[in-house]
Amino acid sequence: MPSWRFNQKTASDTDRDPIQGEFFSGEAIDNVAEALVREAIQNSLDNRLDAESVRVRIYLSAPGEELHPRDAEPFTRGLFEHISAERNGLATAPDKAERCAWIAIEDFGTSGLTGDPKTWNPADDEKNNFYSFFRAEGRSDKSGVDGGRWGVGKYVFPLCSRANTFYALTIPADSRQASLLGRAILKSHRVQNVRYQPDGYFAADPAPAMPPMPLTDAGTLSAFTALFRLSRTTEPGLSVVVPWRLDGEDE
C-alpha cells in the first residue's frame, strides 16, 4: 500500500536541515506566488517538445473545494506524524483534521520528467530530468541557454506548501509511462524518539537496493488525477500538486 516514508537517521548520515528558503538567498523574490509562476513557466518552456506549443495550466482550489481529510488520506498516509513533529522546520504545519487547499501546475507540449526513475547514481554526463528533479539538490540538466533552473527553481513547489510537500505526476515523452511520486522536505526530526532524515517520499512499496520508486498503477493515478482535478490524460508533460498551499497572509 503506498504511503509516505522517511528513513531513520544512521550513524554515518549528516544532520541536514534543508528547509528551502536558503536556496533563494540573494534572489529578488517579492513573494512565493510570483516565484512559483515564473519558475514553473520557465521550466516548462525549457522542456518544450520540438514543434510543440507549450501550454501551462494553473489551478487553485476555490473556497469550499478544500479536500476533506478522509478523501485526501490515500495520499497523506504516513505523513502527519512527521509534519507534526517538533523542530521539523515547519512554521504553520497543517493539522490532520484540517481540510486541504491546493494548487496544481500542469504543462503540455513538454517532455515531462524523462530519464530512468531507477537511477540513483548517474554518470557525470548523464541527462536524467527525473533524477535531477527528485533526487538531487543544486543539480540541473539544463544548458547555459535555458532560462529555468531545475537545480533551484523546483524548490518553489515545496516552498508554497505549509507542509513543504509536493506531488509530481509525469508522462515522459521518452517512455510514455505515467508515474506519481511525492516528496516532503523537512528538517531532521524525531518521531516517538526515533531520529529521521529530512526527506520523505510518497512512493511505491520499498524494494531492496532501490531508491523511492514512483507509483505507476492506473487506479492510483486515476484517483489522484480526479481528486486534485488535473486535466492530464495521455499527453506527455508534468503535473505538480502543492497541498496545503500558502494563503496570501502566510507568504
Side-chain angles (χ1 to χ4, degrees):
M1 179 179 297
S3 66
W4 283 90
R5 294 179 176 86
F6 289 74
N7 289 331
Q8 295 184 20
K9 185 176 180 294
T10 67
S12 61
D13 292 326
T14 300
D15 200 353
R16 295 171 51 245
D17 288 338
I19 290 294
Q20 301 308 329
E22 70 265 26
F23 285 95
F24 293 98
S25 59
E27 294 210 3
I29 292 184
D30 294 330
N31 57 67
V32 293
E34 176 185 329
L36 176 67
V37 172
R38 183 186 71 229
E39 294 294 337
I41 290 176
Q42 187 60 65
N43 282 322
S44 297
L45 291 172
D46 288 342
N47 284 279
R48 180 176 68 91
L49 288 172
D50 291 342
E52 293 282 346
S53 297
V54 172
R55 179 169 64 92
V56 177
R57 172 182 180 262
I58 299 176
Y59 182 89
L60 280 76
S61 58
E65 285 186 332
E66 299 91 347
L67 299 178
H68 190 282
R70 176 185 60 252
D71 297 326
E73 195 273 340
F75 301 100
T76 61
R77 188 180 297 116
L79 180 61
F80 279 99
E81 61 190 276
H82 295 276
I83 63 175
S84 63
E86 294 184 358
R87 301 179 182 179
N88 63 7
L90 300 180
T92 56
D95 184 83
K96 190 172 185 178
E98 178 182 333
R99 289 179 176 266
C100 176
W102 79 93
I103 182 170
I105 307 98
E106 303 186 89
D107 62 29
F108 301 87
T110 65
S111 63
L113 297 181
T114 54
D116 187 351
K118 297 189 296 295
T119 298
W120 61 270
N121 186 25
D124 292 342
D125 59 351
E126 179 180 345
K127 185 176 177 63
N128 187 320
N129 280 341
F130 189 96
Y131 175 86
S132 295
F133 188 80
F134 273 114
R135 312 198 197 286
E137 293 179 359
R139 170 185 165 123
S140 174
D141 286 333
K142 297 191 175 192
S143 68
V145 298
D146 292 329
R149 295 149 294 177
W150 274 144
V152 173
K154 64 187 177 183
Y155 289 113
V156 296
F157 300 124
L159 190 67
C160 290
S161 166
R162 289 168 48 220
N164 246 53
T165 294
F166 67 96
Y167 303 86
L169 188 156
T170 187
I171 301 179
D174 54 358
S175 69
R176 295 296 180 117
Q177 172 62 68
S179 66
L180 170 68
L181 192 65
R183 188 180 179 194
I185 309 170
L186 309 177
K187 291 186 175 184
S188 299
H189 57 282
R190 293 184 186 275
V191 176
Q192 297 182 350
N193 208 34
V194 176
R195 190 76 168 179
Y196 285 89
Q197 296 180 16
D199 305 292
Y201 291 90
F202 180 76
D205 291 337
M210 292 290 287
M213 291 296 294
L215 298 147
T216 58
D217 63 286
T220 298
L221 271 58
S222 177
F224 182 85
T225 296
L227 185 68
F228 290 104
R229 305 196 179 192
L230 302 182
S231 63
R232 185 174 310 284
T233 54
T234 61
E235 312 94 330
L238 176 65
S239 300
V240 176
V241 171
V242 178
W244 302 292
R245 71 169 192 261
L246 290 172
D247 294 322
E249 62 268 21
D250 296 323
E251 293 177 4

